[in-house]
Amino acid sequence: MTDPESLADRVRDGELRIHELEEYADHDVAAAARRLLVERETGADLETVGEYSFPAERAEPNIENMIGAAQVPMGVAGPVPVHGGAADGEHYLPLATTEGALLASVNRGLSVIRSAGGADARVTKHGMTRAPVFRVDGVAEAAETVEWVEDNLGALREAAESTTSHGELLGVEPYVVGDSVYLRFAYDTKDAMGMNMATIATGEACEVVEAETPASLVALSGNLCSDKKPAAINAVEGRGRSVTADVVIPGDIVEERLHTTAAAIAEANTRKNLIGSAKAGSLGFNAHAANVVAAAFLATGQDEAQVVEGANAITTMDTRAPADGDENAPADLYASVSLASLEVGTVGGGTKLPTQSEALEILGVRGGGEPAGSNADALAEIIAVGALAGELSLLAALASRHLASAHEDLGR
Amino acid sequence: MTDPESLADRVRDGELRIHELEEYADHDVAAAARRLLVERETGADLETVGEYSFPAERAEPNIENMIGAAQVPMGVAGPVPVHGGAADGEHYLPLATTEGALLASVNRGLSVIRSAGGADARVTKHGMTRAPVFRVDGVAEAAETVEWVEDNLGALREAAESTTSHGELLGVEPYVVGDSVYLRFAYDTKDAMGMNMATIATGEACEVVEAETPASLVALSGNLCSDKKPAAINAVEGRGRSVTADVVIPGDIVEERLHTTAAAIAEANTRKNLIGSAKAGSLGFNAHAANVVAAAFLATGQDEAQVVEGANAITTMDTRAPADGDENAPADLYASVSLASLEVGTVGGGTKLPTQSEALEILGVRGGGEPAGSNADALAEIIAVGALAGELSLLAALASRHLASAHEDLGR
Amino acid sequence: MTDPESLADRVRDGELRIHELEEYADHDVAAAARRLLVERETGADLETVGEYSFPAERAEPNIENMIGAAQVPMGVAGPVPVHGGAADGEHYLPLATTEGALLASVNRGLSVIRSAGGADARVTKHGMTRAPVFRVDGVAEAAETVEWVEDNLGALREAAESTTSHGELLGVEPYVVGDSVYLRFAYDTKDAMGMNMATIATGEACEVVEAETPASLVALSGNLCSDKKPAAINAVEGRGRSVTADVVIPGDIVEERLHTTAAAIAEANTRKNLIGSAKAGSLGFNAHAANVVAAAFLATGQDEAQVVEGANAITTMDTRAPADGDENAPADLYASVSLASLEVGTVGGGTKLPTQSEALEILGVRGGGEPAGSNADALAEIIAVGALAGELSLLAALASRHLASAHEDLGR
Amino acid sequence: MTDPESLADRVRDGELRIHELEEYADHDVAAAARRLLVERETGADLETVGEYSFPAERAEPNIENMIGAAQVPMGVAGPVPVHGGAADGEHYLPLATTEGALLASVNRGLSVIRSAGGADARVTKHGMTRAPVFRVDGVAEAAETVEWVEDNLGALREAAESTTSHGELLGVEPYVVGDSVYLRFAYDTKDAMGMNMATIATGEACEVVEAETPASLVALSGNLCSDKKPAAINAVEGRGRSVTADVVIPGDIVEERLHTTAAAIAEANTRKNLIGSAKAGSLGFNAHAANVVAAAFLATGQDEAQVVEGANAITTMDTRAPADGDENAPADLYASVSLASLEVGTVGGGTKLPTQSEALEILGVRGGGEPAGSNADALAEIIAVGALAGELSLLAALASRHLASAHEDLGR
């Protein structure tokens, strides 16, 4: 009685609950039973959802109540030379998306970057954070708690690091609001994105805080972390990796390949990405960095909800005097993208799933790096270069369309 | 010579470019050729990436340089009764994610909501926006342009709506910063998410603006739209759908099912989601709404990068006197989630892809609604209920864990 | 027994309360009695505080528990030609401040603007807002309330305008968060800053809302107004006056008077005011607009606490090709300041106090304008020009200092 | 020829410039001459502006082009017991404002706090910041610069502290955006507000950075400081003093004195100050803290433009079980205000001016404290208590008005 039909019947009849099916059948059968149940109840046909290409059991750490898989088209852009702190050499960038034209746009950008010799990239800050909130009686106790924390970082480190073989506590920053105390713990989580590692380690440290101070834990996350919310604290102080990619595109390449000028691109960037975003009250001073972040995250098994913080990015575009000193040459274009809080890992989470793992292989960063953390650094750097390509391509399109229409105007 | 190996060779040899393969072979062969090329260059094995379950040609509107598909585990939560303005009846919610425990958490929340009789939901505002930026000579011309726009909404509507059979221009809001003028066009795009529709219509209207005023278009998007950036303008004024879901959970259900009290949940929500987010400088006053938004978007073919704005959500939790007036009964819990800028559609974009289309069928909102727009409204309402379930479940977990430790403390 | 000593004794002995003294003596004696009381209790000598130059009674609408006056140095900068929508001709700008070098800096900026022929200025949007918050049972009632409001703007206007002879209701914008409904009322308050007018009118309209909908008023201000808080809603949508001032400074004037170049100033503005502010998560993309706003507010009797919103300003600086078309001439500088939410009035509030009234006379905008509102418009435009001067002067100082050090570097 | 008339004539005739008059006459005569000049040019009568009560020379460090003084009514509220880290005992709070009802409101709040035994207050973080921006060639150089800074804090401290006898460098935080590097220097400036001290010290440190790294200084302030702008970096990380004041008001006092209940006040605070501010995209989660900050700043000679950051405040209000354990007693009210970035000093700036100095005497914090910094800490704590009083009074007024109307409703 553990075939899909029987199991579906038994859930319908209230004998089993929908999340218990794996106790009665293997994971693939359980998923089939759920599809059957849902098909009966809703009239939907879930044939393609059921045509996933991996043993359902392999997805156990990633999902409950599994019915199958969403299939999202994946393409590649590149290759592009990346001169990073961790990444090096030519890379194809795998992107999964349903947004038409995105791959073509990034590909064009990467191609231009390649013509310019490749892009530089650096992780300039790192640290996965978790910030519990404690209740105190009032500000007198809050001040006492803050003082204790500042004086006892060693004890907190000992507790936190007792829970992990890899992670290291980088620091703890206290914040006081009335009778709430927030402690923002930051960790080096090496090649893991590290949210779970940080949560477990912080949980252990919280017990020390509760034992030694008047503070009482209310929630292990008090939103100053800040995970999956568009918060200034991440845009300012970073979370995961703060990473920048940049490139100088010679003026003749701008003209030949992007059909516009460095000055026109810089103007579009200033009016749109800087001033427009300023007026919009934005934490995102870019054109569409989130597109590349989301598509790269999806391809490589990152946490899709963390695209929210990945979008805390600033794009700059400026003219530079031609490198060769020729006064009559068109100006070069300096372009950069700085992603404040890109949370990525090459181990754990969704990275072990088959298609995601294969995508990481394309990038040469599957699994733990040598030294530890270098694979995740490299992944961050390559994604940043991809975002830079997307910005370049879109800004150039906007600028050249304008130039085109300006030319038409003149032609009248 | 159009087998994958030959095509891969020809790209390697520089005879063909990687994005041109569809001109020489069908889409599946082209994808196979690219896999081969990438496998050779990187050493990766892309077997599973190639095992997608639909004709590659069907993904043509969604991707270029296709190599296959990412497969992301999909599960279902529910069913839950939704009392919406458009949605009605019981619904299973399909979610695709790699984040373990998410489905279980949402499922628990939905189950509690179901025990409470289901959730209410309403779309309280809607409008897909596009905001071009224009250059003027200075503020004198800017004021002149603004005045013209305010006086000639009819002409702009005529131009904009000439490009679409469905869309309607709802209004145009001007913003001036120095010698830049931004015009935020808002449209009713019915069951389409509508970004493309809005862009095309706005492009047409821009020609009228350029013809009739001193303003000159710099970029069709000036970032006051604001698409895929965490901007206050969306959190305040909305984009796509502004949608709220709420529920009152009887006190005894809170105790039996969530193992805590309404007061404890409300306290955790206030200190974490309200005060913690305030201190973090956040536009997201919630626990993890982005998780549900991202997973529902992925399952149903929405634009993953728009999770950024979907995270502009406020969660409220409060105690209410028991509905039955029993003074000794535990307090009820009022819980709500308000998503300011949820951009969803049931036609276009990724919604036609096989697994995504099947997921929309589960929800009963595939394709255009009757009346137009009602399917997308219903989808927004159901996602909001899913987000509400996720918030309930996580806040309760935080609150009960705390209660548990409080009990232990007392037991010492 | 109504001399200062006796009154002070009676307060000390608990016979009188400190705020009741005006019932027993004239306002100047009451103030003297309070000074005496405070001097005795604290040992302070309040001689100069007591040397104010107006009958204390005249300050009755402005203060309670008066002990005297703070005296803040006032200077003038200018004159400068302002080509505004309301302001016209040459103006001296009175500024009261304790920040050394501010007057000198603004004066230098105004002098440069004068050399360039004066500045343009325009009020591009106006409306004083008040946003009450209502409690509803849930989102179903919230949607019902919003719909009623949108359908009954006439009734709300009638109620609101019944309380004022001058004010006009411009519109009402509803916002829903869970079981809270916020209605942002916007008014044309003519030459008054208008906060009180808006509050009273909105109070009347709230009674209609409560009578006709399920909504129940919780607070007459629900912080979406948003008064005296640094809120994006004001930076985006404006409050009071949205006003821009701008100027083109010929390249030779930039060099001779500011000892730098348009390009250097533009670079400093971009890296500091645009990119630096972006990274800081700021609503203020300027150098020190708040300095001029605060000093002009203080001189002219505006509400000092509204400097908070006055600081929601964006400064842009850019090069322009020389107006005379001479290719060898140095580039001109375009400079602008856009203040999103400058709340000013020329009647009411502190504008009637003697020194403040005299400062408004310097500007030629004391009392009501003809037509109504034009004096407050003119005041906003002149303050914007003052802020522009401050930005120009400071940015030039930063840029030229850098040039100076660059020159030193070259000299090594 | 140095009487006011002659001097005014000579300025009019272009012989002298308006800012040069102090070279030809004493400061009072120079001011008189300017008044005369402005009166002639504008028709204004500046009699009261000229009736200031201190030698004009004394204002030399505070103003240029002086014409006199603005006189702003000053009152006192209190006394109130403050239990601070630095402040102690009963204090009257001097406030200068033109906003009627503000003093009365604060006075009521302080009176209630006094009835509850006084308020606690603590400075929980301090540091005056200055953040220069440097140009580098690209991110490779940026990373190199950041690394140098992190490895050479000692050299930066030595340079910075060489310029000041009091100030201490607390730390330097680097931020990278493309080819811009920002270094946020934080100082302990003791009893001085410290902006000038921090600027001079940072200038010296910048020379070391330029000498030792590839970075080139663009502007001594790069807006990550962030001075006089409403920036999240200050709201999150603090600037000047981060200070909290709080109090528990017994339930019977809430009822008798504020005519409402703790629950009603807490509800108004949640819907207005927390949720309303959240929806407004605000950095100010309070009712009107800026009113008290502005009025106290004006009275005590602080920098009025820094009210902008002073408004980065969070107010919390919550019910607490009665302290005496009586189950039938009404709930107590916990109320707090946390000001993230209150920049105050008791030496330098406007604090030496006569009326301002007298106001500091009222508070007992004139001049340098013992130990150094304690007077400025105490001033911050007392202002926080004043802000708390203002919040309490206004929230209670909103809540009781509502209760009143609720009672009327019930009476119908």
Side-chain angles (χ1 to χ4, degrees):
Chain A
M1 302 295 282
T2 57
D3 59 294
E5 285 76 10
S6 307
L7 289 169
D9 288 345
R10 291 166 68 188
V11 172
R12 183 200 57 203
D13 298 342
E15 288 175 38
L16 294 180
R17 290 158 75 187
I18 195 169
H19 62 270
E20 296 172 334
L21 299 182
E22 278 77 2
E23 299 173 22
Y24 299 87
D26 75 27
H27 289 65
D28 290 301
V29 172
R34 283 195 200 90
R35 282 197 302 280
L36 205 54
L37 177 77
V38 171
E39 286 175 331
R40 287 176 183 168
E41 301 273 339
T42 67
D45 172 352
L46 300 181
E47 185 185 345
T48 322
V49 167
E51 291 177 352
Y52 50 93
S53 310
F54 52 90
E57 200 170 359
R58 199 159 159 193
E60 197 182 19
N62 302 109
I63 198 135
E64 301 83 38
N65 285 2
M66 178 168 164
I67 59 172
Q71 297 196 15
V72 183
M74 191 192 298
V76 290
V80 68
V82 176
H83 315 301
D88 205 17
E90 299 241 339
H91 290 280
Y92 282 96
L93 178 61
L95 297 171
T97 186
T98 63
E99 165 136 342
L102 178 59
L103 262 287
S105 173
V106 174
N107 201 50
R108 181 172 82 133
L110 289 179
S111 171
V112 168
I113 291 172
R114 190 185 197 200
S115 299
D120 281 347
R122 289 291 184 287
V123 172
T124 57
K125 199 171 181 178
H126 70 104
M128 177 49 60
T129 56
R130 185 46 99 193
V133 54
F134 298 85
R135 181 201 305 114
V136 289
D137 194 53
V139 69
E141 280 191 8
E144 187 186 334
T145 302
V146 166
E147 197 181 336
W148 185 89
V149 168
E150 289 172 344
D151 291 346
N152 291 277
L153 197 57
L156 295 176
R157 176 174 291 118
E158 190 180 352
E161 294 184 357
S162 73
T163 65
T164 165
S165 53
H166 297 296
E168 293 172 20
L169 180 64
L170 298 172
V172 182
E173 186 74 26
Y175 300 90
V176 174
V177 184
D179 61 351
S180 294
V181 176
Y182 302 82
L183 301 178
R184 194 178 196 238
F185 289 75
Y187 298 88
D188 180 350
T189 58
K190 312 298 180 188
D191 286 306
M193 181 270 278
M195 187 72 274
N196 285 344
M197 189 191 297
T199 300
I200 292 165
T202 302
E204 194 71 19
C206 285
E207 297 199 3
V208 180
V209 174
E210 283 195 293
E212 302 292 334
T213 76
S216 172
L217 184 69
V218 173
L220 197 42
S221 161
N223 275 20
L224 272 100
C225 316
S226 177
D227 195 45
K228 302 175 183 178
K229 271 85 66 181
I233 198 170
N234 292 341
V236 173
E237 301 301 346
R239 190 168 194 254
R241 263 85 178 171
S242 298
V243 59
T244 296
D246 62 10
V247 66
V248 176
I249 315 279
D252 52 356
I253 295 183
V254 175
E255 293 197 351
E256 284 160 31
R257 303 287 303 285
L258 297 173
H259 314 297
T260 180
T261 64
I265 291 178
E267 180 188 358
N269 190 71
T270 298
R271 292 190 194 256
K272 170 188 171 65
N273 286 347
L274 298 184
I275 299 176
S277 291
K279 183 64 183 169
S282 190
L283 296 173
F285 292 76
N286 61 80
H288 69 142
N291 267 334
V292 174
V293 171
F297 271 29
L298 196 45
T300 62
Q302 311 302 316
D303 191 329
E304 279 299 301
Q306 291 182 329
V307 172
V308 173
E309 299 95 299
N312 289 343
I314 303 177
T315 296
T316 75
M317 303 263 178
D318 215 343
T319 58
R320 288 212 178 162
D324 58 9
D326 176 357
E327 287 195 7
N328 294 319
D332 292 350
L333 176 71
Y334 172 78
S336 77
V337 173
S338 298
L339 302 152
S341 41
L342 194 71
E343 296 128 332
V344 293
T346 58
V347 300
T351 63
K352 282 191 181 171
L353 288 164
T355 56
Q356 289 80 341
S357 173
E358 291 175 11
L360 286 168
E361 268 187 52
I362 295 177
L363 294 167
V365 296
R366 192 177 67 162
E370 181 60 48
S374 61
N375 270 1
D377 279 348
L379 177 57
E381 291 172 345
I382 297 168
I383 291 175
V385 173
L388 178 63
E391 295 294 286
L392 261 176
S393 186
L394 182 51
L395 266 292
L398 291 167
S400 65
R401 208 158 6 186
H402 174 63
L403 281 190
S405 87
H407 288 161
E408 283 170 31
D409 290 354
L410 292 173
R412 272 175 208 162
Chain B
M1 303 293 283
T2 58
D3 57 294
E5 284 75 11
S6 307
L7 289 170
D9 289 345
R10 291 165 68 188
V11 172
R12 183 201 55 203
D13 299 342
E15 288 176 38
L16 295 180
R17 288 159 74 185
I18 194 170
H19 62 270
E20 295 173 335
L21 300 182
E22 278 79 2
E23 297 172 23
Y24 299 87
D26 75 28
H27 287 64
D28 290 301
V29 171
R34 284 195 198 90
R35 281 197 302 281
L36 206 54
L37 177 76
V38 171
E39 286 175 332
R40 287 176 183 168
E41 302 273 339
T42 67
D45 172 352
L46 300 181
E47 184 184 346
T48 323
V49 167
E51 291 177 352
Y52 51 92
S53 310
F54 51 89
E57 199 168 3
R58 200 159 157 192
E60 196 182 19
N62 303 108
I63 198 136
E64 302 82 38
N65 285 4
M66 179 167 161
I67 59 171
Q71 297 196 14
V72 184
M74 191 191 299
V76 290
V80 68
V82 176
H83 315 300
D88 206 15
E90 298 241 340
H91 290 281
Y92 282 96
L93 178 61
L95 297 171
T97 186
T98 62
E99 164 137 341
L102 178 58
L103 263 286
S105 173
V106 174
N107 201 49
R108 182 172 84 132
L110 290 179
S111 172
V112 168
I113 292 172
R114 193 186 195 200
S115 299
D120 282 347
R122 289 292 185 285
V123 172
T124 58
K125 198 170 181 179
H126 69 104
M128 177 47 62
T129 56
R130 186 46 100 193
V133 53
F134 298 85
R135 179 201 307 113
V136 289
D137 194 52
V139 68
E141 280 192 9
E144 186 185 336
T145 302
V146 167
E147 196 181 338
W148 185 90
V149 168
E150 288 172 345
D151 290 346
N152 291 277
L153 196 57
L156 295 176
R157 176 173 290 116
E158 191 179 351
E161 294 184 358
S162 73
T163 64
T164 164
S165 53
H166 297 296
E168 294 172 21
L169 180 64
L170 298 172
V172 182
E173 188 72 27
Y175 300 89
V176 174
V177 183
D179 61 351
S180 293
V181 176
Y182 302 82
L183 300 177
R184 194 177 194 240
F185 289 75
Y187 298 88
D188 180 351
T189 57
K190 311 298 181 191
D191 287 305
M193 181 271 278
M195 190 70 274
N196 284 344
M197 189 191 295
T199 300
I200 293 164
T202 301
E204 195 71 21
C206 285
E207 297 198 2
V208 181
V209 174
E210 284 195 292
E212 301 293 334
T213 76
S216 174
L217 184 68
V218 173
L220 197 42
S221 162
N223 275 20
L224 273 98
C225 314
S226 177
D227 195 44
K228 303 177 183 177
K229 269 86 67 180
I233 198 169
N234 292 341
V236 173
E237 301 300 347
R239 190 167 194 256
R241 264 82 179 173
S242 299
V243 60
T244 296
D246 63 10
V247 67
V248 176
I249 314 279
D252 52 355
I253 295 183
V254 174
E255 292 196 350
E256 284 160 31
R257 303 287 303 282
L258 297 173
H259 314 297
T260 181
T261 64
I265 292 178
E267 180 189 356
N269 190 71
T270 298
R271 292 190 194 254
K272 170 188 169 66
N273 286 348
L274 298 184
I275 299 175
S277 291
K279 183 63 185 172
S282 190
L283 296 172
F285 292 76
N286 61 80
H288 68 142
N291 267 334
V292 174
V293 171
F297 272 30
L298 196 44
T300 62
Q302 310 302 315
D303 191 328
E304 278 299 302
Q306 291 181 331
V307 172
V308 173
E309 300 94 299
N312 289 343
I314 302 178
T315 296
T316 76
M317 303 263 177
D318 215 342
T319 58
R320 288 209 181 166
D324 57 10
D326 176 356
E327 288 196 5
N328 294 319
D332 293 350
L333 176 71
Y334 172 79
S336 78
V337 173
S338 297
L339 302 153
S341 41
L342 194 71
E343 296 129 333
V344 293
T346 59
V347 302
T351 64
K352 282 191 183 171
L353 288 164
T355 57
Q356 290 81 340
S357 174
E358 289 176 11
L360 286 169
E361 268 187 53
I362 294 177
L363 294 167
V365 296
R366 192 177 67 164
E370 179 61 49
S374 60
N375 269 0
D377 279 347
L379 178 57
E381 290 172 346
I382 297 167
I383 291 175
V385 173
L388 178 63
E391 294 295 285
L392 261 175
S393 187
L394 182 52
L395 268 293
L398 291 168
S400 65
R401 206 157 7 184
H402 173 62
L403 281 189
S405 84
H407 286 161
E408 284 169 32
D409 290 353
L410 293 173
R412 276 176 206 162
Chain C
M1 302 296 279
T2 58
D3 58 293
E5 284 76 13
S6 305
L7 289 169
D9 288 346
R10 291 166 69 186
V11 173
R12 183 201 55 203
D13 298 343
E15 288 176 39
L16 295 180
R17 289 158 74 186
I18 194 168
H19 63 271
E20 295 172 336
L21 300 182
E22 278 79 2
E23 297 173 22
Y24 299 87
D26 76 28
H27 288 64
D28 290 300
V29 171
R34 281 192 201 93
R35 283 197 301 280
L36 204 55
L37 178 77
V38 171
E39 287 176 331
R40 286 176 184 167
E41 302 272 338
T42 67
D45 171 353
L46 301 180
E47 185 186 345
T48 322
V49 167
E51 291 177 351
Y52 50 92
S53 310
F54 53 88
E57 201 170 359
R58 201 160 157 191
E60 197 182 19
N62 301 109
I63 197 138
E64 302 82 38
N65 284 4
M66 178 167 163
I67 58 171
Q71 296 196 15
V72 183
M74 190 191 297
V76 291
V80 68
V82 176
H83 316 299
D88 206 17
E90 299 242 339
H91 290 280
Y92 281 96
L93 179 61
L95 298 171
T97 185
T98 62
E99 165 137 344
L102 178 59
L103 262 286
S105 174
V106 174
N107 200 49
R108 181 171 83 134
L110 290 179
S111 172
V112 168
I113 292 172
R114 192 184 195 199
S115 299
D120 281 348
R122 288 292 184 284
V123 172
T124 58
K125 197 169 181 179
H126 70 103
M128 176 48 59
T129 56
R130 187 45 103 192
V133 54
F134 298 84
R135 179 201 307 115
V136 291
D137 195 52
V139 69
E141 280 191 9
E144 187 186 334
T145 302
V146 166
E147 196 180 340
W148 185 90
V149 167
E150 288 172 344
D151 291 347
N152 291 275
L153 197 57
L156 294 176
R157 177 174 289 118
E158 191 180 351
E161 295 184 355
S162 73
T163 65
T164 162
S165 53
H166 297 295
E168 293 172 22
L169 180 64
L170 298 171
V172 182
E173 189 71 28
Y175 301 90
V176 174
V177 183
D179 61 351
S180 294
V181 176
Y182 302 82
L183 301 178
R184 193 179 196 238
F185 289 75
Y187 298 89
D188 180 350
T189 57
K190 311 300 180 186
D191 287 306
M193 182 270 278
M195 190 69 275
N196 285 343
M197 189 192 296
T199 300
I200 292 166
T202 301
E204 194 70 20
C206 285
E207 296 198 4
V208 180
V209 174
E210 284 196 292
E212 301 292 335
T213 76
S216 172
L217 184 68
V218 173
L220 196 42
S221 161
N223 274 19
L224 274 99
C225 313
S226 179
D227 195 44
K228 304 177 181 176
K229 269 86 65 183
I233 198 170
N234 291 341
V236 173
E237 301 301 347
R239 189 168 195 253
R241 262 85 179 172
S242 299
V243 59
T244 296
D246 63 9
V247 66
V248 177
I249 314 277
D252 52 356
I253 294 183
V254 174
E255 294 196 349
E256 285 161 30
R257 303 287 304 283
L258 297 173
H259 314 297
T260 180
T261 64
I265 292 178
E267 179 189 358
N269 191 70
T270 298
R271 292 190 195 255
K272 170 189 171 63
N273 286 346
L274 298 185
I275 300 175
S277 291
K279 183 64 183 170
S282 190
L283 296 173
F285 293 76
N286 60 79
H288 69 141
N291 267 334
V292 173
V293 171
F297 272 29
L298 195 45
T300 63
Q302 311 302 316
D303 191 329
E304 278 300 302
Q306 291 181 331
V307 172
V308 173
E309 300 94 299
N312 290 343
I314 302 178
T315 295
T316 75
M317 303 263 176
D318 215 343
T319 58
R320 289 210 179 164
D324 57 11
D326 176 357
E327 287 195 7
N328 294 318
D332 292 350
L333 175 72
Y334 172 78
S336 77
V337 174
S338 297
L339 302 152
S341 41
L342 194 71
E343 297 129 332
V344 292
T346 58
V347 299
T351 63
K352 282 191 182 170
L353 287 165
T355 57
Q356 289 80 343
S357 174
E358 289 174 12
L360 287 168
E361 268 186 53
I362 294 176
L363 294 166
V365 295
R366 190 176 70 164
E370 180 61 46
S374 61
N375 269 0
D377 279 349
L379 177 57
E381 291 173 346
I382 297 168
I383 291 175
V385 173
L388 178 64
E391 295 294 285
L392 260 175
S393 186
L394 182 51
L395 267 293
L398 291 167
S400 65
R401 209 156 8 183
H402 173 62
L403 281 189
S405 84
H407 287 161
E408 283 170 32
D409 291 353
L410 293 173
R412 275 177 207 160
Chain D
M1 300 298 281
T2 58
D3 57 294
E5 285 76 13
S6 306
L7 290 169
D9 288 346
R10 291 165 69 185
V11 172
R12 184 201 56 204
D13 298 344
E15 289 176 37
L16 295 180
R17 289 159 75 186
I18 195 169
H19 62 269
E20 295 173 334
L21 299 183
E22 277 79 1
E23 298 172 22
Y24 300 87
D26 75 30
H27 288 65
D28 290 299
V29 171
R34 283 194 199 91
R35 283 197 302 280
L36 204 55
L37 177 77
V38 171
E39 287 177 331
R40 285 175 184 169
E41 302 273 337
T42 67
D45 172 353
L46 301 181
E47 184 186 343
T48 322
V49 167
E51 291 176 352
Y52 50 92
S53 311
F54 52 89
E57 199 168 0
R58 202 160 156 190
E60 197 181 17
N62 303 109
I63 197 137
E64 302 81 39
N65 285 4
M66 179 168 162
I67 58 171
Q71 297 196 14
V72 184
M74 190 193 297
V76 290
V80 68
V82 176
H83 315 300
D88 204 18
E90 299 241 337
H91 290 280
Y92 282 96
L93 179 60
L95 298 171
T97 185
T98 62
E99 166 138 342
L102 178 59
L103 262 287
S105 174
V106 174
N107 201 49
R108 182 171 83 134
L110 289 180
S111 171
V112 169
I113 291 172
R114 192 185 194 198
S115 299
D120 281 347
R122 289 292 184 285
V123 172
T124 58
K125 198 170 181 179
H126 70 105
M128 176 48 59
T129 55
R130 185 46 100 194
V133 53
F134 298 84
R135 179 201 304 114
V136 290
D137 195 52
V139 69
E141 280 192 7
E144 186 186 333
T145 302
V146 167
E147 196 180 338
W148 185 90
V149 167
E150 288 172 344
D151 291 347
N152 291 275
L153 197 57
L156 295 176
R157 175 173 291 118
E158 190 179 352
E161 294 184 357
S162 73
T163 65
T164 163
S165 52
H166 296 295
E168 293 173 21
L169 180 64
L170 298 172
V172 182
E173 188 72 27
Y175 300 90
V176 174
V177 184
D179 61 351
S180 294
V181 176
Y182 301 82
L183 301 178
R184 194 179 195 236
F185 290 74
Y187 298 88
D188 181 350
T189 57
K190 312 299 181 185
D191 287 305
M193 182 271 279
M195 190 70 274
N196 284 344
M197 189 192 296
T199 301
I200 292 166
T202 302
E204 194 71 21
C206 285
E207 297 199 3
V208 180
V209 175
E210 285 195 291
E212 302 293 334
T213 76
S216 172
L217 184 69
V218 173
L220 195 42
S221 161
N223 275 21
L224 272 100
C225 316
S226 179
D227 196 45
K228 303 176 180 177
K229 270 85 67 179
I233 198 171
N234 292 341
V236 173
E237 301 301 347
R239 189 168 195 255
R241 262 84 179 172
S242 299
V243 59
T244 296
D246 64 9
V247 67
V248 176
I249 315 278
D252 52 356
I253 295 183
V254 175
E255 294 196 350
E256 283 160 31
R257 303 287 303 284
L258 297 172
H259 314 298
T260 181
T261 65
I265 291 178
E267 180 189 357
N269 191 71
T270 298
R271 291 189 195 255
K272 170 188 171 64
N273 285 347
L274 298 185
I275 300 175
S277 292
K279 184 64 183 171
S282 190
L283 297 173
F285 292 75
N286 61 81
H288 68 142
N291 267 333
V292 173
V293 171
F297 272 29
L298 195 44
T300 63
Q302 310 302 316
D303 191 329
E304 279 300 301
Q306 291 181 331
V307 172
V308 172
E309 300 94 299
N312 289 344
I314 303 178
T315 296
T316 76
M317 303 262 177
D318 215 341
T319 57
R320 290 214 177 158
D324 58 9
D326 176 356
E327 288 196 6
N328 294 318
D332 293 349
L333 176 71
Y334 172 78
S336 78
V337 173
S338 298
L339 302 153
S341 41
L342 193 71
E343 297 129 332
V344 293
T346 58
V347 299
T351 64
K352 281 191 184 171
L353 288 165
T355 57
Q356 289 80 341
S357 175
E358 290 175 11
L360 286 169
E361 268 185 55
I362 294 177
L363 293 166
V365 297
R366 191 177 68 165
E370 179 63 45
S374 61
N375 269 0
D377 279 348
L379 177 57
E381 290 173 346
I382 297 168
I383 291 175
V385 173
L388 178 63
E391 295 294 286
L392 261 175
S393 186
L394 182 51
L395 268 293
L398 292 167
S400 64
R401 209 158 8 188
H402 173 61
L403 281 190
S405 85
H407 286 161
E408 283 170 32
D409 290 354
L410 292 174
R412 275 174 207 162

